[in-house]
Structure formats: structure tokens, C-alpha cells
Amino acid sequence: MTRPRLVIGNWKMNPATLEEAVVLAHDRRATPHEGVGLGVAPPSIALPAVAVALRGSDVRVFAQDVHWAEKGAYTGQVAASMLRGLAFGTIVGHSEVRRDQGDDDARVAAKAGAAFRAGLHVIFCLGESLAERKRGETDAVLARQVRDGIGAIDRAALGDAGTLALAYEPIWAIGTGEAATGAQASAAVARLRSELTRQGLDGDAIPILYGGSVTGGNASEFARAEGVDGALVGGASLKQDEFAEIVAAFR
Ligand code: 13P
């Protein structure tokens, strides 16, 4: 099974200004990435400027989140339809959004459904906390997140597996400098694929990225890790040289 290799930079609430976001987008245009699908996920306010900066390139633009409703009284939120013409896809289920906005599996499923209905690709994030890993609950947490999250996405909206990718992001590895090992990532990815298959999806066809303290120094470990198809990169995606090293590792 040949799945696409993908490296996507999640800029989170960075950089500080729109001007810097445009500079970063132009850097990405110049990042050699033959054989790797390259993406950026800027803050929503920067999406229009970044989309313009990347027009005519094959670098894909992603939103960092999307609302589950089509429209309405949801102050501060962005509906999937509003991303048309700006974004190729969206992240949903990032642990920072789950943490700060109270998203649970059902809500992440509803967000993914809304994104699919608007024709967007979806990067569905999941992963266990440190406490869950220490209690030996990693497999159970991942199984639950697939069952109650991905398994609950409206099947008509889900469409074909080509529009869905997963990002295994153990919460303890995000922004901590303490990445998982390649072996830990492979084990989690294998678990996710078997749960996807249990949900009636083709687990072998769905790309799964690793995210959590990926750097230029450790990217090759994940590029070599069985079943890992790419990286969702936070902090290092803001540094041109380091991000280019990460992309090179997956080529
Ligand atoms: P860091 O690469 O900064 O650890 O963030 C990972 C992440 O959360 C990507 O979505």
C-alpha cells in the first residue's frame, strides 16, 4: 500500500503579524519537497493572505479548526463554508483545542463532518496524555478516540478515505521537546489502523502523521518508522531551515 507522504506545519497562534505570516508562506513556496505533500496551517485571520501568497504553488493551506455548525450565533468561530477558496483542508481535534475549548470526541466528529460537507480534507488529531500513558491506557484511549470520534463522523459526509488523514499527537510530546520514539509512534499508528478497519474504513489507505516535538534532528527517525506517513510540525515549522530539514527527511 503506497500512501502519500505529508509534512504539514501547524503554526498555532504564530507568527505575531500578518506580514510575518506572508514571509513564512513565501519561505514555504521555496522549500524543496518533491515527493512530499507540503502544507501549512496558519491562524484563521492569516488564511486569506497566506492563500494568496501560495496561489499557483502546490503547498496546501489548512485551517487549524472549524466549527460544527453551518452558520449562526457562534461568536469567534469559523464555519467550514467560509474556508472555500482559502483552504484545502482543516485540522480538527487538536489537543490544544480539545483542552481550551472543551471539544470531546463527539464534537470533533461533528467538526470533521462539517468540514467534509464543505469539500475540505481533514487532518484528525488524536493522542493520549502522559497520565493515560503512565496508566497503560494508550491503546484504549486511541481506540476510543477512533470509535467515538472518527466512527461517529456522518458516513455520507466522510466520503472516500482519500480526504481523511490522522495525526497521532501524544499530548506529552507536544511542545515539550520530548518526542515519542519511532517505535512508540509505529505502535500507536498500527493500533489506529486496526481501529479504523474495525470502524469499517480502509485503515491501510489512510495516511497517519506523527506530531509532537518533531525537529530537524529527529525527523529521520519518524520518516523511517513503520506506518508513519509524515509529520504535523508545530514549533519547528516556524523555522525555515529546520522545517526544510524535516521535509527532506520524508522525501
Ligand atoms: P510541536 O512540534 O511544537 O511539539 O507541536 C506539535 C503539534 O501540536 C502539531 O500540531
Side-chain angles (χ1 to χ4, degrees):
M1 168 63 59
T2 330
R3 292 177 298 266
R5 307 277 265 178
L6 304 168
V7 177
I8 296 166
N10 174 10
W11 297 356
K12 307 193 178 184
M13 201 168 74
N14 298 292
T17 66
L18 281 184
E19 288 78 7
E20 289 169 89
V22 170
V23 169
L24 209 49
H26 282 290
D27 282 351
R28 286 300 159 273
R29 279 188 90 105
T31 305
H33 60 276
E34 209 185 316
V36 175
L38 199 60
V40 296
S44 58
I45 187 76
L47 279 168
V50 168
V52 167
L54 290 172
R55 203 153 278 165
S57 84
D58 65 354
V59 180
R60 290 165 177 171
V61 180
F62 290 82
Q64 295 177 7
D65 192 26
V66 77
H67 201 269
W68 62 86
E70 280 178 25
K71 60 180 179 172
Y74 300 102
T75 302
Q77 305 304 306
V78 175
S81 65
M82 296 168 186
L83 299 173
R84 279 204 196 108
L86 298 178
F88 172 84
T90 185
I91 297 170
V92 298
H94 195 284
S95 60
E96 289 156 9
V97 180
R98 292 181 191 246
R99 176 196 69 199
D100 295 343
Q101 293 176 23
D103 280 14
D104 57 11
D105 294 326
R107 194 186 273 183
V108 178
K111 288 180 166 186
F116 285 132
R117 280 191 291 277
L120 296 166
H121 285 230
V122 166
I123 300 168
F124 194 110
C125 297
L126 22 68
E128 80 287 0
S129 68
L130 185 59
E132 289 163 341
R133 176 164 281 267
K134 282 188 171 158
R135 291 198 299 265
E137 293 171 6
T138 299
D139 283 357
V141 169
L142 297 181
R144 190 210 74 222
Q145 289 177 329
V146 172
R147 187 189 65 232
D148 297 350
I150 294 167
I153 299 171
D154 166 12
R155 281 303 156 106
L158 183 51
D160 68 289
T163 62
L164 173 68
L166 269 56
Y168 169 59
E169 296 210 319
I171 296 168
W172 47 270
I174 295 177
T176 59
E178 193 199 328
T181 62
Q184 286 172 321
S186 287
V189 160
R191 179 74 204 186
L192 290 169
R193 287 219 159 85
S194 72
E195 283 303 323
L196 287 167
T197 303
R198 202 188 304 265
Q199 293 304 315
L201 298 167
D202 185 356
D204 282 334
I206 297 175
I208 305 185
L209 317 183
Y210 167 77
S213 296
V214 177
T215 64
N218 65 22
S220 59
E221 179 170 352
F222 298 108
R224 281 195 309 268
E226 177 73 29
V228 175
D229 302 313
L232 184 57
V233 185
S237 73
L238 302 168
K239 302 174 195 155
Q240 171 67 352
D241 291 349
E242 188 162 9
F243 190 71
E245 271 182 67
I246 295 169
V247 175
F250 281 93
R251 289 175 73 192

